Amino acid sequence: MLSEVERRLWRYLAQYPDKYFTVRDLASVLGVAPSTVTKYVSRLRELGIPLESTRAGYRYSVAQDDLAVAQQYLRNLPTRLRYLVHYLPETTSTQDIAHTLAREGAPEGTVVLAEVQTRGRGRRGRCWYSPRGGLWFTLILRPSVPPQYLTLLTIATAVAVAEAVHDLTGLVPELKWPNDVLVEERKVCGILTEAALELDTLHYVLLGVGINVNNELLPDLRSQATSLHEVLGHHVPRTALLTLVLYHLDRLYTQVLERRSEVVTESWRRYSSTLGSEVLVYLPEEKVLRGVAEDIDELGRLVLRLSTGETMHLSVGEVVHVRSVTRKT
Ligand code: BTN
């Protein structure tokens, strides 16, 4: 999404939040003509990166990162989905609000975005701590695919988050099947997929995304979780991150609808930290499987090879990596 020069400009400004640079300074850092700097700054602003210009020059203005105006950036995105944001300063869980809106007929592309969640939900009935500074949202989709595609939609969302984080920060996240995004081996993002379905028809799907961006983390979770701010040492603009996640997700979602799942699974494999590892998979009803994570299939299911040599294709489960093993190819 970002060109090489735009990326370099943004990464340079990001290292010095709130500090002004003249056009001349920036042109010399980038090795481009001063007349082109303004063009790159405008592009970054269109994505929601809060770059302020005054007579002193340009700066990355941390205080201007405002999720309340996210809609204005999404309006200009070249996407198939038309995103419509419901911004809430505080709510119980964006999933709850999204369920209500979806039942009332909200169109796909509706995004429920909250500054703070008081009862954020994680997978397996866990709480999801959601204080100020993070990115907590739920996207409503109405895909014309059978319910077996739900895991693939989760996988597509994880890839979209990884690509957005990579675009904006230069970090290369790792994906743990099916729904965790890790940076430096700690979780920065979780995805909660919920759906309303009847027999073989999906009425709607809710993709709930929680990204630790500039927020505090619970002390108990610090060994397993981190935030982008903690890893990079500077504030990260949430509006731009949201814009980029939704841009990438739109592209991947189109591939799912067109039944080109290999585009999604191939991108997921590139970021995977799960494949080739010996894993424990915790299934519903307290069942646990142990095996080697060999691959994911065309529906995003985990292909697990058990010690008996038998393989299983799993669509749900919580994976714990035991150790890396050499992959047989
Ligand atoms: C997980 O357990 O890893 C999934 C966490 C999902 C959290 C997000 S935050 C936005 C949305 N609203 C919620 O209550 N949960 C999801």
PDB file of all heavy atoms in Angstrom, residues 170-198:
ATOM      1  N   GLY A 170       7.100  -1.624   9.583  1.00  0.00           N
ATOM      2  CA  GLY A 170       8.285  -2.344   9.112  1.00  0.00           C
ATOM      3  C   GLY A 170       8.517  -3.644   9.881  1.00  0.00           C
ATOM      4  O   GLY A 170       9.369  -4.444   9.500  1.00  0.00           O
ATOM      5  N   LEU A 171       7.760  -3.877  10.960  1.00  0.00           N
ATOM      6  CA  LEU A 171       7.911  -5.140  11.698  1.00  0.00           C
ATOM      7  C   LEU A 171       7.364  -6.278  10.837  1.00  0.00           C
ATOM      8  O   LEU A 171       6.455  -6.069  10.029  1.00  0.00           O
ATOM      9  CB  LEU A 171       7.112  -5.094  13.003  1.00  0.00           C
ATOM     10  CG  LEU A 171       7.551  -4.045  14.027  1.00  0.00           C
ATOM     11  CD1 LEU A 171       6.518  -3.923  15.154  1.00  0.00           C
ATOM     12  CD2 LEU A 171       8.917  -4.434  14.610  1.00  0.00           C
ATOM     13  N   VAL A 172       7.926  -7.470  11.022  1.00  0.00           N
ATOM     14  CA  VAL A 172       7.381  -8.627  10.296  1.00  0.00           C
ATOM     15  C   VAL A 172       6.688  -9.537  11.318  1.00  0.00           C
ATOM     16  O   VAL A 172       7.345 -10.306  12.022  1.00  0.00           O
ATOM     17  CB  VAL A 172       8.486  -9.406   9.544  1.00  0.00           C
ATOM     18  CG1 VAL A 172       7.857 -10.544   8.732  1.00  0.00           C
ATOM     19  CG2 VAL A 172       9.261  -8.477   8.634  1.00  0.00           C
ATOM     20  N   PRO A 173       5.365  -9.410  11.426  1.00  0.00           N
ATOM     21  CA  PRO A 173       4.654 -10.220  12.425  1.00  0.00           C
ATOM     22  C   PRO A 173       4.652 -11.700  12.062  1.00  0.00           C
ATOM     23  O   PRO A 173       4.898 -12.055  10.907  1.00  0.00           O
ATOM     24  CB  PRO A 173       3.224  -9.671  12.386  1.00  0.00           C
ATOM     25  CG  PRO A 173       3.285  -8.410  11.627  1.00  0.00           C
ATOM     26  CD  PRO A 173       4.449  -8.533  10.695  1.00  0.00           C
ATOM     27  N   GLU A 174       4.362 -12.524  13.057  1.00  0.00           N
ATOM     28  CA  GLU A 174       4.178 -13.960  12.804  1.00  0.00           C
ATOM     29  C   GLU A 174       2.743 -14.332  13.157  1.00  0.00           C
ATOM     30  O   GLU A 174       2.155 -13.738  14.066  1.00  0.00           O
ATOM     31  CB  GLU A 174       5.134 -14.765  13.680  1.00  0.00           C
ATOM     32  CG  GLU A 174       6.573 -14.637  13.207  1.00  0.00           C
ATOM     33  CD  GLU A 174       7.451 -15.690  13.851  1.00  0.00           C
ATOM     34  OE1 GLU A 174       7.328 -15.903  15.073  1.00  0.00           O
ATOM     35  OE2 GLU A 174       8.237 -16.308  13.127  1.00  0.00           O
ATOM     36  N   LEU A 175       2.211 -15.313  12.417  1.00  0.00           N
ATOM     37  CA  LEU A 175       0.833 -15.727  12.656  1.00  0.00           C
ATOM     38  C   LEU A 175       0.794 -17.101  13.301  1.00  0.00           C
ATOM     39  O   LEU A 175       1.448 -18.032  12.834  1.00  0.00           O
ATOM     40  CB  LEU A 175       0.055 -15.756  11.336  1.00  0.00           C
ATOM     41  CG  LEU A 175      -0.025 -14.406  10.613  1.00  0.00           C
ATOM     42  CD1 LEU A 175      -0.802 -14.530   9.306  1.00  0.00           C
ATOM     43  CD2 LEU A 175      -0.669 -13.351  11.509  1.00  0.00           C
ATOM     44  N   LYS A 176       0.038 -17.162  14.388  1.00  0.00           N
ATOM     45  CA  LYS A 176      -0.175 -18.455  15.050  1.00  0.00           C
ATOM     46  C   LYS A 176      -1.605 -18.873  14.738  1.00  0.00           C
ATOM     47  O   LYS A 176      -2.532 -18.114  15.003  1.00  0.00           O
ATOM     48  CB  LYS A 176       0.034 -18.316  16.564  1.00  0.00           C
ATOM     49  CG  LYS A 176      -0.130 -19.617  17.327  1.00  0.00           C
ATOM     50  CD  LYS A 176       0.558 -19.546  18.674  1.00  0.00           C
ATOM     51  CE  LYS A 176      -0.291 -18.943  19.749  1.00  0.00           C
ATOM     52  NZ  LYS A 176      -1.331 -19.835  20.274  1.00  0.00           N
ATOM     53  N   TRP A 177      -1.743 -20.065  14.174  1.00  0.00           N
ATOM     54  CA  TRP A 177      -3.067 -20.522  13.746  1.00  0.00           C
ATOM     55  C   TRP A 177      -4.031 -20.567  14.915  1.00  0.00           C
ATOM     56  O   TRP A 177      -3.638 -21.016  15.985  1.00  0.00           O
ATOM     57  CB  TRP A 177      -2.934 -21.929  13.130  1.00  0.00           C
ATOM     58  CG  TRP A 177      -4.205 -22.428  12.532  1.00  0.00           C
ATOM     59  CD1 TRP A 177      -4.651 -22.235  11.264  1.00  0.00           C
ATOM     60  CD2 TRP A 177      -5.190 -23.219  13.204  1.00  0.00           C
ATOM     61  NE1 TRP A 177      -5.865 -22.831  11.101  1.00  0.00           N
ATOM     62  CE2 TRP A 177      -6.233 -23.444  12.274  1.00  0.00           C
ATOM     63  CE3 TRP A 177      -5.349 -23.734  14.504  1.00  0.00           C
ATOM     64  CZ2 TRP A 177      -7.374 -24.173  12.593  1.00  0.00           C
ATOM     65  CZ3 TRP A 177      -6.482 -24.446  14.822  1.00  0.00           C
ATOM     66  CH2 TRP A 177      -7.484 -24.676  13.867  1.00  0.00           C
ATOM     67  N   PRO A 178      -5.311 -20.205  14.757  1.00  0.00           N
ATOM     68  CA  PRO A 178      -5.814 -19.596  13.534  1.00  0.00           C
ATOM     69  C   PRO A 178      -5.859 -18.069  13.592  1.00  0.00           C
ATOM     70  O   PRO A 178      -6.034 -17.442  12.565  1.00  0.00           O
ATOM     71  CB  PRO A 178      -7.256 -20.136  13.489  1.00  0.00           C
ATOM     72  CG  PRO A 178      -7.666 -20.240  14.934  1.00  0.00           C
ATOM     73  CD  PRO A 178      -6.404 -20.569  15.694  1.00  0.00           C
ATOM     74  N   ASN A 179      -5.731 -17.503  14.809  1.00  0.00           N
ATOM     75  CA  ASN A 179      -6.159 -16.104  14.879  1.00  0.00           C
ATOM     76  C   ASN A 179      -5.248 -15.173  15.654  1.00  0.00           C
ATOM     77  O   ASN A 179      -5.679 -14.093  16.037  1.00  0.00           O
ATOM     78  CB  ASN A 179      -7.552 -16.048  15.521  1.00  0.00           C
ATOM     79  CG  ASN A 179      -7.472 -16.312  17.003  1.00  0.00           C
ATOM     80  OD1 ASN A 179      -6.552 -16.991  17.434  1.00  0.00           O
ATOM     81  ND2 ASN A 179      -8.364 -15.754  17.770  1.00  0.00           N
ATOM     82  N   ASP A 180      -4.022 -15.574  15.933  1.00  0.00           N
ATOM     83  CA  ASP A 180      -3.152 -14.687  16.719  1.00  0.00           C
ATOM     84  C   ASP A 180      -2.074 -14.069  15.846  1.00  0.00           C
ATOM     85  O   ASP A 180      -1.480 -14.739  14.995  1.00  0.00           O
ATOM     86  CB  ASP A 180      -2.435 -15.476  17.830  1.00  0.00           C
ATOM     87  CG  ASP A 180      -3.377 -15.869  18.948  1.00  0.00           C
ATOM     88  OD1 ASP A 180      -4.521 -15.385  18.959  1.00  0.00           O
ATOM     89  OD2 ASP A 180      -2.952 -16.659  19.816  1.00  0.00           O
ATOM     90  N   VAL A 181      -1.812 -12.788  16.100  1.00  0.00           N
ATOM     91  CA  VAL A 181      -0.713 -12.102  15.418  1.00  0.00           C
ATOM     92  C   VAL A 181       0.332 -11.789  16.485  1.00  0.00           C
ATOM     93  O   VAL A 181       0.022 -11.181  17.517  1.00  0.00           O
ATOM     94  CB  VAL A 181      -1.199 -10.798  14.748  1.00  0.00           C
ATOM     95  CG1 VAL A 181      -0.052 -10.140  13.979  1.00  0.00           C
ATOM     96  CG2 VAL A 181      -2.371 -11.090  13.806  1.00  0.00           C
ATOM     97  N   LEU A 182       1.553 -12.261  16.244  1.00  0.00           N
ATOM     98  CA  LEU A 182       2.618 -12.108  17.231  1.00  0.00           C
ATOM     99  C   LEU A 182       3.720 -11.203  16.696  1.00  0.00           C
ATOM    100  O   LEU A 182       3.975 -11.178  15.494  1.00  0.00           O
ATOM    101  CB  LEU A 182       3.271 -13.457  17.565  1.00  0.00           C
ATOM    102  CG  LEU A 182       2.382 -14.681  17.813  1.00  0.00           C
ATOM    103  CD1 LEU A 182       3.263 -15.907  18.085  1.00  0.00           C
ATOM    104  CD2 LEU A 182       1.462 -14.464  18.998  1.00  0.00           C
ATOM    105  N   VAL A 183       4.345 -10.473  17.606  1.00  0.00           N
ATOM    106  CA  VAL A 183       5.555  -9.734  17.252  1.00  0.00           C
ATOM    107  C   VAL A 183       6.588 -10.087  18.323  1.00  0.00           C
ATOM    108  O   VAL A 183       6.282 -10.051  19.526  1.00  0.00           O
ATOM    109  CB  VAL A 183       5.299  -8.207  17.225  1.00  0.00           C
ATOM    110  CG1 VAL A 183       6.605  -7.462  17.082  1.00  0.00           C
ATOM    111  CG2 VAL A 183       4.362  -7.833  16.074  1.00  0.00           C
ATOM    112  N   GLU A 184       7.759 -10.435  17.889  1.00  0.00           N
ATOM    113  CA  GLU A 184       8.818 -10.880  18.805  1.00  0.00           C
ATOM    114  C   GLU A 184       8.284 -11.950  19.778  1.00  0.00           C
ATOM    115  O   GLU A 184       8.495 -11.881  20.979  1.00  0.00           O
ATOM    116  CB  GLU A 184       9.416  -9.682  19.544  1.00  0.00           C
ATOM    117  CG  GLU A 184      10.112  -8.742  18.565  1.00  0.00           C
ATOM    118  CD  GLU A 184      10.717  -7.501  19.215  1.00  0.00           C
ATOM    119  OE1 GLU A 184      10.526  -7.288  20.428  1.00  0.00           O
ATOM    120  OE2 GLU A 184      11.374  -6.754  18.469  1.00  0.00           O
ATOM    121  N   GLU A 185       7.523 -12.869  19.215  1.00  0.00           N
ATOM    122  CA  GLU A 185       6.984 -14.036  19.927  1.00  0.00           C
ATOM    123  C   GLU A 185       5.938 -13.708  20.985  1.00  0.00           C
ATOM    124  O   GLU A 185       5.593 -14.552  21.803  1.00  0.00           O
ATOM    125  CB  GLU A 185       8.120 -14.886  20.530  1.00  0.00           C
ATOM    126  CG  GLU A 185       8.953 -15.492  19.425  1.00  0.00           C
ATOM    127  CD  GLU A 185      10.138 -16.290  19.915  1.00  0.00           C
ATOM    128  OE1 GLU A 185      10.183 -16.592  21.108  1.00  0.00           O
ATOM    129  OE2 GLU A 185      10.989 -16.580  19.074  1.00  0.00           O
ATOM    130  N   ARG A 186       5.453 -12.474  20.995  1.00  0.00           N
ATOM    131  CA  ARG A 186       4.378 -12.141  21.933  1.00  0.00           C
ATOM    132  C   ARG A 186       3.167 -11.613  21.156  1.00  0.00           C
ATOM    133  O   ARG A 186       3.305 -11.017  20.095  1.00  0.00           O
ATOM    134  CB  ARG A 186       4.859 -11.113  22.957  1.00  0.00           C
ATOM    135  CG  ARG A 186       5.843 -11.756  23.947  1.00  0.00           C
ATOM    136  CD  ARG A 186       6.189 -10.833  25.087  1.00  0.00           C
ATOM    137  NE  ARG A 186       7.013  -9.724  24.675  1.00  0.00           N
ATOM    138  CZ  ARG A 186       7.227  -8.645  25.427  1.00  0.00           C
ATOM    139  NH1 ARG A 186       6.666  -8.535  26.609  1.00  0.00           N
ATOM    140  NH2 ARG A 186       7.998  -7.680  24.992  1.00  0.00           N
ATOM    141  N   LYS A 187       1.994 -11.845  21.734  1.00  0.00           N
ATOM    142  CA  LYS A 187       0.755 -11.541  21.004  1.00  0.00           C
ATOM    143  C   LYS A 187       0.481 -10.037  20.972  1.00  0.00           C
ATOM    144  O   LYS A 187       0.485  -9.385  22.012  1.00  0.00           O
ATOM    145  CB  LYS A 187      -0.386 -12.286  21.708  1.00  0.00           C
ATOM    146  CG  LYS A 187      -1.756 -12.092  21.112  1.00  0.00           C
ATOM    147  CD  LYS A 187      -2.657 -13.239  21.547  1.00  0.00           C
ATOM    148  CE  LYS A 187      -4.110 -12.946  21.323  1.00  0.00           C
ATOM    149  NZ  LYS A 187      -4.966 -14.109  21.571  1.00  0.00           N
ATOM    150  N   VAL A 188       0.258  -9.497  19.770  1.00  0.00           N
ATOM    151  CA  VAL A 188      -0.162  -8.092  19.660  1.00  0.00           C
ATOM    152  C   VAL A 188      -1.610  -7.987  19.223  1.00  0.00           C
ATOM    153  O   VAL A 188      -2.213  -6.929  19.344  1.00  0.00           O
ATOM    154  CB  VAL A 188       0.675  -7.225  18.678  1.00  0.00           C
ATOM    155  CG1 VAL A 188       2.037  -6.927  19.198  1.00  0.00           C
ATOM    156  CG2 VAL A 188       0.694  -7.784  17.281  1.00  0.00           C
ATOM    157  N   CYS A 189      -2.154  -9.065  18.681  1.00  0.00           N
ATOM    158  CA  CYS A 189      -3.521  -8.975  18.163  1.00  0.00           C
ATOM    159  C   CYS A 189      -4.225 -10.318  18.264  1.00  0.00           C
ATOM    160  O   CYS A 189      -3.625 -11.365  18.033  1.00  0.00           O
ATOM    161  CB  CYS A 189      -3.467  -8.545  16.687  1.00  0.00           C
ATOM    162  SG  CYS A 189      -5.016  -8.731  15.800  1.00  0.00           S
ATOM    163  N   GLY A 190      -5.496 -10.255  18.630  1.00  0.00           N
ATOM    164  CA  GLY A 190      -6.345 -11.451  18.622  1.00  0.00           C
ATOM    165  C   GLY A 190      -7.593 -11.164  17.791  1.00  0.00           C
ATOM    166  O   GLY A 190      -7.997 -10.010  17.641  1.00  0.00           O
ATOM    167  N   ILE A 191      -8.158 -12.221  17.244  1.00  0.00           N
ATOM    168  CA  ILE A 191      -9.339 -12.077  16.388  1.00  0.00           C
ATOM    169  C   ILE A 191     -10.434 -13.004  16.911  1.00  0.00           C
ATOM    170  O   ILE A 191     -10.178 -14.178  17.201  1.00  0.00           O
ATOM    171  CB  ILE A 191      -8.990 -12.455  14.927  1.00  0.00           C
ATOM    172  CG1 ILE A 191      -7.940 -11.468  14.387  1.00  0.00           C
ATOM    173  CG2 ILE A 191     -10.224 -12.448  14.023  1.00  0.00           C
ATOM    174  CD1 ILE A 191      -7.133 -11.995  13.246  1.00  0.00           C
ATOM    175  N   LEU A 192     -11.622 -12.467  17.047  1.00  0.00           N
ATOM    176  CA  LEU A 192     -12.763 -13.267  17.496  1.00  0.00           C
ATOM    177  C   LEU A 192     -13.801 -13.272  16.379  1.00  0.00           C
ATOM    178  O   LEU A 192     -14.343 -12.228  16.026  1.00  0.00           O
ATOM    179  CB  LEU A 192     -13.356 -12.628  18.767  1.00  0.00           C
ATOM    180  CG  LEU A 192     -14.591 -13.301  19.354  1.00  0.00           C
ATOM    181  CD1 LEU A 192     -14.238 -14.700  19.879  1.00  0.00           C
ATOM    182  CD2 LEU A 192     -15.150 -12.464  20.508  1.00  0.00           C
ATOM    183  N   THR A 193     -14.027 -14.464  15.810  1.00  0.00           N
ATOM    184  CA  THR A 193     -14.996 -14.574  14.710  1.00  0.00           C
ATOM    185  C   THR A 193     -16.290 -15.156  15.261  1.00  0.00           C
ATOM    186  O   THR A 193     -16.277 -16.225  15.873  1.00  0.00           O
ATOM    187  CB  THR A 193     -14.433 -15.494  13.600  1.00  0.00           C
ATOM    188  OG1 THR A 193     -13.168 -14.967  13.201  1.00  0.00           O
ATOM    189  CG2 THR A 193     -15.348 -15.552  12.390  1.00  0.00           C
ATOM    190  N   GLU A 194     -17.374 -14.448  15.054  1.00  0.00           N
ATOM    191  CA  GLU A 194     -18.686 -14.946  15.468  1.00  0.00           C
ATOM    192  C   GLU A 194     -19.610 -14.853  14.261  1.00  0.00           C
ATOM    193  O   GLU A 194     -19.383 -14.032  13.370  1.00  0.00           O
ATOM    194  CB  GLU A 194     -19.241 -14.119  16.635  1.00  0.00           C
ATOM    195  CG  GLU A 194     -18.389 -14.259  17.893  1.00  0.00           C
ATOM    196  CD  GLU A 194     -18.878 -13.437  19.068  1.00  0.00           C
ATOM    197  OE1 GLU A 194     -19.501 -12.372  18.878  1.00  0.00           O
ATOM    198  OE2 GLU A 194     -18.620 -13.854  20.201  1.00  0.00           O
ATOM    199  N   ALA A 195     -20.652 -15.694  14.264  1.00  0.00           N
ATOM    200  CA  ALA A 195     -21.526 -15.688  13.083  1.00  0.00           C
ATOM    201  C   ALA A 195     -22.939 -16.068  13.463  1.00  0.00           C
ATOM    202  O   ALA A 195     -23.167 -16.742  14.471  1.00  0.00           O
ATOM    203  CB  ALA A 195     -20.995 -16.680  12.046  1.00  0.00           C
ATOM    204  N   ALA A 196     -23.893 -15.626  12.662  1.00  0.00           N
ATOM    205  CA  ALA A 196     -25.278 -16.090  12.778  1.00  0.00           C
ATOM    206  C   ALA A 196     -25.529 -16.942  11.553  1.00  0.00           C
ATOM    207  O   ALA A 196     -25.380 -16.469  10.420  1.00  0.00           O
ATOM    208  CB  ALA A 196     -26.232 -14.905  12.807  1.00  0.00           C
ATOM    209  N   LEU A 197     -25.864 -18.210  11.781  1.00  0.00           N
ATOM    210  CA  LEU A 197     -26.068 -19.110  10.644  1.00  0.00           C
ATOM    211  C   LEU A 197     -27.244 -20.030  10.866  1.00  0.00           C
ATOM    212  O   LEU A 197     -27.676 -20.251  11.997  1.00  0.00           O
ATOM    213  CB  LEU A 197     -24.802 -19.926  10.371  1.00  0.00           C
ATOM    214  CG  LEU A 197     -24.180 -20.686  11.530  1.00  0.00           C
ATOM    215  CD1 LEU A 197     -24.566 -22.142  11.489  1.00  0.00           C
ATOM    216  CD2 LEU A 197     -22.673 -20.563  11.438  1.00  0.00           C
ATOM    217  N   GLU A 198     -27.735 -20.535   9.781  1.00  0.00           N
ATOM    218  CA  GLU A 198     -28.882 -21.429   9.812  1.00  0.00           C
ATOM    219  C   GLU A 198     -28.627 -22.486   8.758  1.00  0.00           C
ATOM    220  O   GLU A 198     -28.390 -22.132   7.591  1.00  0.00           O
ATOM    221  CB  GLU A 198     -30.122 -20.625   9.429  1.00  0.00           C
ATOM    222  CG  GLU A 198     -31.408 -21.140   9.987  1.00  0.00           C
ATOM    223  CD  GLU A 198     -32.529 -20.158   9.608  1.00  0.00           C
ATOM    224  OE1 GLU A 198     -32.239 -19.043   9.144  1.00  0.00           O
ATOM    225  OE2 GLU A 198     -33.674 -20.544   9.738  1.00  0.00           O
TER     226      GLU A 198
END
